[in-house]
Amino acid sequence: MIRYLPLILEIVLALYALIDCASTDASRVRNLPKPAWLVLAVLVPYVGPLAWLVAGRPPREAAAGPRTGPV
């Protein structure tokens, strides 16, 4: 079972990157066009999805304002 772990990890990582890339607005994608990121995530194991998460994914949005809930 442990010998399948790298394969399972690659499949999960690739699926997450593909879904994340496909659902991201094309105008917010960084460094490469969106179709290039999709191809890279599929064709280059481990490196493609990790590159998307590090270099292609848009930065997180900052909070819109101060917290309004109880402290």
Side-chain angles (χ1 to χ4, degrees), residues 14-58:
L15 282 174
Y16 178 78
L18 286 173
I19 292 169
D20 189 40
C21 183
S23 64
T24 301
D25 185 27
S27 65
R28 301 197 60 217
V29 175
R30 298 184 297 160
N31 297 324
L32 288 176
K34 188 174 177 175
W37 280 116
L38 291 168
V39 169
L40 186 69
V42 171
L43 295 181
V44 184
Y46 296 106
V47 176
L50 288 175
W52 160 253
L53 294 174
V54 172
R57 188 177 196 186

